[in-house]
PDB file of all heavy atoms in Angstrom:
ATOM      1  N   GLN B  27       5.993  -7.363  -3.319  1.00 98.00           N
ATOM      2  CA  GLN B  27       5.004  -7.222  -2.251  1.00 98.00           C
ATOM      3  C   GLN B  27       3.974  -6.198  -2.683  1.00 98.00           C
ATOM      4  O   GLN B  27       4.189  -5.472  -3.654  1.00 98.00           O
ATOM      5  CB  GLN B  27       5.669  -6.816  -0.933  1.00 98.00           C
ATOM      6  CG  GLN B  27       6.325  -5.464  -0.947  1.00 98.00           C
ATOM      7  CD  GLN B  27       7.135  -5.203   0.319  1.00 98.00           C
ATOM      8  OE1 GLN B  27       8.230  -5.728   0.497  1.00 98.00           O
ATOM      9  NE2 GLN B  27       6.578  -4.392   1.207  1.00 98.00           N
ATOM     10  N   GLY B  28       2.855  -6.158  -1.989  1.00 98.00           N
ATOM     11  CA  GLY B  28       1.774  -5.283  -2.390  1.00 98.00           C
ATOM     12  C   GLY B  28       2.148  -3.804  -2.362  1.00 98.00           C
ATOM     13  O   GLY B  28       2.784  -3.342  -1.407  1.00 98.00           O
ATOM     14  N   ILE B  29       1.762  -3.095  -3.407  1.00 98.00           N
ATOM     15  CA  ILE B  29       2.072  -1.670  -3.511  1.00 98.00           C
ATOM     16  C   ILE B  29       0.806  -0.849  -3.793  1.00 98.00           C
ATOM     17  O   ILE B  29       0.871   0.280  -4.282  1.00 98.00           O
ATOM     18  CB  ILE B  29       3.141  -1.384  -4.596  1.00 98.00           C
ATOM     19  CG1 ILE B  29       2.678  -1.878  -5.975  1.00 98.00           C
ATOM     20  CG2 ILE B  29       4.478  -2.000  -4.207  1.00 98.00           C
ATOM     21  CD1 ILE B  29       3.607  -1.425  -7.115  1.00 98.00           C
ATOM     22  N   ASN B  30      -0.347  -1.408  -3.480  1.00 98.00           N
ATOM     23  CA  ASN B  30      -1.632  -0.758  -3.791  1.00 98.00           C
ATOM     24  C   ASN B  30      -1.648  -0.373  -5.271  1.00 98.00           C
ATOM     25  O   ASN B  30      -1.452  -1.230  -6.114  1.00 98.00           O
ATOM     26  CB  ASN B  30      -1.872   0.426  -2.870  1.00 98.00           C
ATOM     27  CG  ASN B  30      -2.120  -0.020  -1.440  1.00 98.00           C
ATOM     28  OD1 ASN B  30      -2.416  -1.192  -1.170  1.00 98.00           O
ATOM     29  ND2 ASN B  30      -1.979   0.890  -0.490  1.00 98.00           N
ATOM     30  N   SER B  31      -1.848   0.903  -5.559  1.00 98.00           N
ATOM     31  CA  SER B  31      -1.855   1.363  -6.953  1.00 98.00           C
ATOM     32  C   SER B  31      -0.666   2.276  -7.258  1.00 98.00           C
ATOM     33  O   SER B  31      -0.671   3.004  -8.246  1.00 98.00           O
ATOM     34  CB  SER B  31      -3.148   2.126  -7.253  1.00 98.00           C
ATOM     35  OG  SER B  31      -4.271   1.285  -7.128  1.00 98.00           O
ATOM     36  N   ALA B  32       0.350   2.232  -6.409  1.00 98.00           N
ATOM     37  CA  ALA B  32       1.481   3.159  -6.521  1.00 98.00           C
ATOM     38  C   ALA B  32       2.476   2.708  -7.595  1.00 98.00           C
ATOM     39  O   ALA B  32       3.645   2.394  -7.305  1.00 98.00           O
ATOM     40  CB  ALA B  32       2.164   3.313  -5.172  1.00 98.00           C
ATOM     41  N   LEU B  33       2.000   2.679  -8.828  1.00 98.00           N
ATOM     42  CA  LEU B  33       2.832   2.211  -9.938  1.00 98.00           C
ATOM     43  C   LEU B  33       2.689   3.147 -11.124  1.00 98.00           C
ATOM     44  O   LEU B  33       1.592   3.570 -11.463  1.00 98.00           O
ATOM     45  CB  LEU B  33       2.433   0.796 -10.361  1.00 98.00           C
ATOM     46  CG  LEU B  33       3.422   0.214 -11.377  1.00 98.00           C
ATOM     47  CD1 LEU B  33       4.377  -0.751 -10.698  1.00 98.00           C
ATOM     48  CD2 LEU B  33       2.718  -0.440 -12.539  1.00 98.00           C
ATOM     49  N   ALA B  34       3.824   3.440 -11.733  1.00 98.00           N
ATOM     50  CA  ALA B  34       3.868   4.275 -12.933  1.00 98.00           C
ATOM     51  C   ALA B  34       4.529   3.497 -14.069  1.00 98.00           C
ATOM     52  O   ALA B  34       5.331   2.584 -13.829  1.00 98.00           O
ATOM     53  CB  ALA B  34       4.640   5.559 -12.661  1.00 98.00           C
ATOM     54  N   TRP B  35       4.182   3.900 -15.275  1.00 98.00           N
ATOM     55  CA  TRP B  35       4.803   3.333 -16.486  1.00 98.00           C
ATOM     56  C   TRP B  35       5.469   4.467 -17.262  1.00 98.00           C
ATOM     57  O   TRP B  35       4.892   5.553 -17.414  1.00 98.00           O
ATOM     58  CB  TRP B  35       3.757   2.671 -17.380  1.00 98.00           C
ATOM     59  CG  TRP B  35       3.192   1.394 -16.856  1.00 98.00           C
ATOM     60  CD1 TRP B  35       2.024   1.237 -16.148  1.00 98.00           C
ATOM     61  CD2 TRP B  35       3.744   0.085 -17.018  1.00 98.00           C
ATOM     62  NE1 TRP B  35       1.828  -0.090 -15.856  1.00 98.00           N
ATOM     63  CE2 TRP B  35       2.860  -0.829 -16.378  1.00 98.00           C
ATOM     64  CE3 TRP B  35       4.886  -0.421 -17.646  1.00 98.00           C
ATOM     65  CZ2 TRP B  35       3.087  -2.212 -16.348  1.00 98.00           C
ATOM     66  CZ3 TRP B  35       5.111  -1.787 -17.610  1.00 98.00           C
ATOM     67  CH2 TRP B  35       4.219  -2.666 -16.981  1.00 98.00           C
ATOM     68  N   TYR B  36       6.671   4.192 -17.753  1.00 98.00           N
ATOM     69  CA  TYR B  36       7.436   5.152 -18.544  1.00 98.00           C
ATOM     70  C   TYR B  36       7.827   4.520 -19.871  1.00 98.00           C
ATOM     71  O   TYR B  36       8.056   3.307 -19.956  1.00 98.00           O
ATOM     72  CB  TYR B  36       8.713   5.577 -17.807  1.00 98.00           C
ATOM     73  CG  TYR B  36       8.460   6.274 -16.501  1.00 98.00           C
ATOM     74  CD1 TYR B  36       8.351   5.546 -15.321  1.00 98.00           C
ATOM     75  CD2 TYR B  36       8.319   7.655 -16.445  1.00 98.00           C
ATOM     76  CE1 TYR B  36       8.113   6.191 -14.116  1.00 98.00           C
ATOM     77  CE2 TYR B  36       8.080   8.303 -15.244  1.00 98.00           C
ATOM     78  CZ  TYR B  36       7.973   7.559 -14.086  1.00 98.00           C
ATOM     79  OH  TYR B  36       7.728   8.191 -12.892  1.00 98.00           O
ATOM     80  N   GLN B  37       7.947   5.384 -20.866  1.00 98.00           N
ATOM     81  CA  GLN B  37       8.448   4.991 -22.178  1.00 98.00           C
ATOM     82  C   GLN B  37       9.786   5.699 -22.391  1.00 98.00           C
ATOM     83  O   GLN B  37       9.912   6.887 -22.090  1.00 98.00           O
ATOM     84  CB  GLN B  37       7.469   5.439 -23.263  1.00 98.00           C
ATOM     85  CG  GLN B  37       7.914   5.155 -24.687  1.00 98.00           C
ATOM     86  CD  GLN B  37       7.060   5.917 -25.689  1.00 98.00           C
ATOM     87  OE1 GLN B  37       7.080   7.145 -25.756  1.00 98.00           O
ATOM     88  NE2 GLN B  37       6.281   5.177 -26.482  1.00 98.00           N
ATOM     89  N   GLN B  38      10.753   4.971 -22.914  1.00 98.00           N
ATOM     90  CA  GLN B  38      12.030   5.598 -23.229  1.00 98.00           C
ATOM     91  C   GLN B  38      12.477   5.182 -24.621  1.00 98.00           C
ATOM     92  O   GLN B  38      12.489   3.998 -24.954  1.00 98.00           O
ATOM     93  CB  GLN B  38      13.114   5.227 -22.207  1.00 98.00           C
ATOM     94  CG  GLN B  38      14.400   6.021 -22.415  1.00 98.00           C
ATOM     95  CD  GLN B  38      15.480   5.674 -21.415  1.00 98.00           C
ATOM     96  OE1 GLN B  38      15.586   4.534 -20.961  1.00 98.00           O
ATOM     97  NE2 GLN B  38      16.289   6.667 -21.047  1.00 98.00           N
ATOM     98  N   LYS B  39      12.861   6.188 -25.399  1.00 97.00           N
ATOM     99  CA  LYS B  39      13.433   5.939 -26.717  1.00 97.00           C
ATOM    100  C   LYS B  39      14.937   6.176 -26.662  1.00 97.00           C
ATOM    101  O   LYS B  39      15.412   6.926 -25.792  1.00 97.00           O
ATOM    102  CB  LYS B  39      12.752   6.828 -27.760  1.00 97.00           C
ATOM    103  CG  LYS B  39      11.266   6.490 -27.891  1.00 97.00           C
ATOM    104  CD  LYS B  39      10.584   7.314 -28.950  1.00 97.00           C
ATOM    105  CE  LYS B  39       9.117   6.895 -29.048  1.00 97.00           C
ATOM    106  NZ  LYS B  39       8.373   7.675 -30.068  1.00 97.00           N
ATOM    107  N   PRO B  40      15.708   5.563 -27.543  1.00 96.00           N
ATOM    108  CA  PRO B  40      17.174   5.661 -27.473  1.00 96.00           C
ATOM    109  C   PRO B  40      17.673   7.099 -27.433  1.00 96.00           C
ATOM    110  O   PRO B  40      17.247   7.939 -28.233  1.00 96.00           O
ATOM    111  CB  PRO B  40      17.628   4.942 -28.744  1.00 96.00           C
ATOM    112  CG  PRO B  40      16.542   3.966 -29.019  1.00 96.00           C
ATOM    113  CD  PRO B  40      15.263   4.656 -28.629  1.00 96.00           C
ATOM    114  N   GLY B  41      18.529   7.380 -26.475  1.00 95.00           N
ATOM    115  CA  GLY B  41      19.136   8.695 -26.350  1.00 95.00           C
ATOM    116  C   GLY B  41      18.233   9.760 -25.765  1.00 95.00           C
ATOM    117  O   GLY B  41      18.627  10.937 -25.707  1.00 95.00           O
ATOM    118  N   LYS B  42      17.047   9.368 -25.318  1.00 97.00           N
ATOM    119  CA  LYS B  42      16.083  10.324 -24.776  1.00 97.00           C
ATOM    120  C   LYS B  42      15.772  10.019 -23.313  1.00 97.00           C
ATOM    121  O   LYS B  42      15.984   8.910 -22.833  1.00 97.00           O
ATOM    122  CB  LYS B  42      14.780  10.278 -25.587  1.00 97.00           C
ATOM    123  CG  LYS B  42      14.951  10.612 -27.050  1.00 97.00           C
ATOM    124  CD  LYS B  42      15.361  12.061 -27.263  1.00 97.00           C
ATOM    125  CE  LYS B  42      15.361  12.423 -28.733  1.00 97.00           C
ATOM    126  NZ  LYS B  42      15.809  13.832 -28.954  1.00 97.00           N
ATOM    127  N   ALA B  43      15.248  11.036 -22.641  1.00 98.00           N
ATOM    128  CA  ALA B  43      14.805  10.846 -21.271  1.00 98.00           C
ATOM    129  C   ALA B  43      13.503  10.042 -21.244  1.00 98.00           C
ATOM    130  O   ALA B  43      12.732  10.068 -22.211  1.00 98.00           O
ATOM    131  CB  ALA B  43      14.587  12.202 -20.607  1.00 98.00           C
ATOM    132  N   PRO B  44      13.250   9.338 -20.168  1.00 98.00           N
ATOM    133  CA  PRO B  44      11.970   8.647 -20.034  1.00 98.00           C
ATOM    134  C   PRO B  44      10.801   9.627 -20.052  1.00 98.00           C
ATOM    135  O   PRO B  44      10.933  10.779 -19.667  1.00 98.00           O
ATOM    136  CB  PRO B  44      12.085   7.955 -18.672  1.00 98.00           C
ATOM    137  CG  PRO B  44      13.553   7.824 -18.447  1.00 98.00           C
ATOM    138  CD  PRO B  44      14.147   9.058 -19.049  1.00 98.00           C
ATOM    139  N   LYS B  45       9.655   9.112 -20.463  1.00 98.00           N
ATOM    140  CA  LYS B  45       8.424   9.898 -20.525  1.00 98.00           C
ATOM    141  C   LYS B  45       7.352   9.173 -19.724  1.00 98.00           C
ATOM    142  O   LYS B  45       7.130   7.976 -19.917  1.00 98.00           O
ATOM    143  CB  LYS B  45       7.976  10.040 -21.987  1.00 98.00           C
ATOM    144  CG  LYS B  45       6.621  10.690 -22.182  1.00 98.00           C
ATOM    145  CD  LYS B  45       6.204  10.617 -23.644  1.00 98.00           C
ATOM    146  CE  LYS B  45       4.793  11.130 -23.850  1.00 98.00           C
ATOM    147  NZ  LYS B  45       4.346  10.977 -25.252  1.00 98.00           N
ATOM    148  N   LEU B  46       6.706   9.900 -18.824  1.00 98.00           N
ATOM    149  CA  LEU B  46       5.637   9.308 -18.026  1.00 98.00           C
ATOM    150  C   LEU B  46       4.424   9.021 -18.898  1.00 98.00           C
ATOM    151  O   LEU B  46       3.948   9.907 -19.619  1.00 98.00           O
ATOM    152  CB  LEU B  46       5.249  10.250 -16.889  1.00 98.00           C
ATOM    153  CG  LEU B  46       4.074   9.807 -16.016  1.00 98.00           C
ATOM    154  CD1 LEU B  46       4.426   8.546 -15.228  1.00 98.00           C
ATOM    155  CD2 LEU B  46       3.654  10.925 -15.072  1.00 98.00           C
ATOM    156  N   LEU B  47       3.925   7.808 -18.813  1.00 98.00           N
ATOM    157  CA  LEU B  47       2.732   7.414 -19.562  1.00 98.00           C
ATOM    158  C   LEU B  47       1.516   7.270 -18.648  1.00 98.00           C
ATOM    159  O   LEU B  47       0.436   7.769 -18.961  1.00 98.00           O
ATOM    160  CB  LEU B  47       2.965   6.058 -20.254  1.00 98.00           C
ATOM    161  CG  LEU B  47       4.107   5.949 -21.239  1.00 98.00           C
ATOM    162  CD1 LEU B  47       4.243   4.501 -21.693  1.00 98.00           C
ATOM    163  CD2 LEU B  47       3.898   6.887 -22.413  1.00 98.00           C
ATOM    164  N   ILE B  48       1.680   6.552 -17.562  1.00 98.00           N
ATOM    165  CA  ILE B  48       0.578   6.184 -16.679  1.00 98.00           C
ATOM    166  C   ILE B  48       1.060   6.290 -15.236  1.00 98.00           C
ATOM    167  O   ILE B  48       2.187   5.930 -14.915  1.00 98.00           O
ATOM    168  CB  ILE B  48       0.101   4.755 -16.996  1.00 98.00           C
ATOM    169  CG1 ILE B  48      -0.667   4.758 -18.319  1.00 98.00           C
ATOM    170  CG2 ILE B  48      -0.770   4.178 -15.881  1.00 98.00           C
ATOM    171  CD1 ILE B  48      -0.955   3.401 -18.881  1.00 98.00           C
ATOM    172  N   TYR B  49       0.201   6.804 -14.364  1.00 98.00           N
ATOM    173  CA  TYR B  49       0.487   6.869 -12.938  1.00 98.00           C
ATOM    174  C   TYR B  49      -0.704   6.312 -12.174  1.00 98.00           C
ATOM    175  O   TYR B  49      -1.803   6.175 -12.716  1.00 98.00           O
ATOM    176  CB  TYR B  49       0.811   8.301 -12.501  1.00 98.00           C
ATOM    177  CG  TYR B  49      -0.328   9.273 -12.727  1.00 98.00           C
ATOM    178  CD1 TYR B  49      -1.217   9.596 -11.720  1.00 98.00           C
ATOM    179  CD2 TYR B  49      -0.511   9.868 -13.982  1.00 98.00           C
ATOM    180  CE1 TYR B  49      -2.265  10.468 -11.936  1.00 98.00           C
ATOM    181  CE2 TYR B  49      -1.548  10.741 -14.208  1.00 98.00           C
ATOM    182  CZ  TYR B  49      -2.423  11.045 -13.185  1.00 98.00           C
ATOM    183  OH  TYR B  49      -3.459  11.902 -13.409  1.00 98.00           O
ATOM    184  N   HIS B  50      -0.450   5.982 -10.917  1.00 98.00           N
ATOM    185  CA  HIS B  50      -1.492   5.377 -10.078  1.00 98.00           C
ATOM    186  C   HIS B  50      -2.107   4.170 -10.779  1.00 98.00           C
ATOM    187  O   HIS B  50      -3.318   3.951 -10.709  1.00 98.00           O
ATOM    188  CB  HIS B  50      -2.560   6.403  -9.704  1.00 98.00           C
ATOM    189  CG  HIS B  50      -3.246   6.091  -8.413  1.00 98.00           C
ATOM    190  ND1 HIS B  50      -2.588   5.951  -7.215  1.00 98.00           N
ATOM    191  CD2 HIS B  50      -4.556   5.892  -8.122  1.00 98.00           C
ATOM    192  CE1 HIS B  50      -3.457   5.669  -6.260  1.00 98.00           C
ATOM    193  NE2 HIS B  50      -4.671   5.628  -6.786  1.00 98.00           N
ATOM    194  N   ALA B  51      -1.262   3.428 -11.453  1.00 98.00           N
ATOM    195  CA  ALA B  51      -1.575   2.157 -12.112  1.00 98.00           C
ATOM    196  C   ALA B  51      -2.425   2.281 -13.364  1.00 98.00           C
ATOM    197  O   ALA B  51      -2.232   1.499 -14.315  1.00 98.00           O
ATOM    198  CB  ALA B  51      -2.229   1.176 -11.141  1.00 98.00           C
ATOM    199  N   SER B  52      -3.369   3.224 -13.385  1.00 98.00           N
ATOM    200  CA  SER B  52      -4.313   3.250 -14.503  1.00 98.00           C
ATOM    201  C   SER B  52      -4.646   4.638 -15.017  1.00 98.00           C
ATOM    202  O   SER B  52      -5.471   4.772 -15.925  1.00 98.00           O
ATOM    203  CB  SER B  52      -5.614   2.540 -14.100  1.00 98.00           C
ATOM    204  OG  SER B  52      -6.208   3.194 -12.998  1.00 98.00           O
TER     205      SER B  52
END
Side-chain angles (χ1 to χ4, degrees):
Chain B
Q27 64 188 76
I29 59 171
N30 291 343
S31 297
L33 188 101
W35 289 96
Y36 298 89
Q37 177 194 66
Q38 188 180 33
K39 296 182 179 180
K42 300 294 187 182
K45 173 187 174 184
L46 176 66
L47 301 174
I48 287 169
Y49 61 96
H50 207 58
S52 61

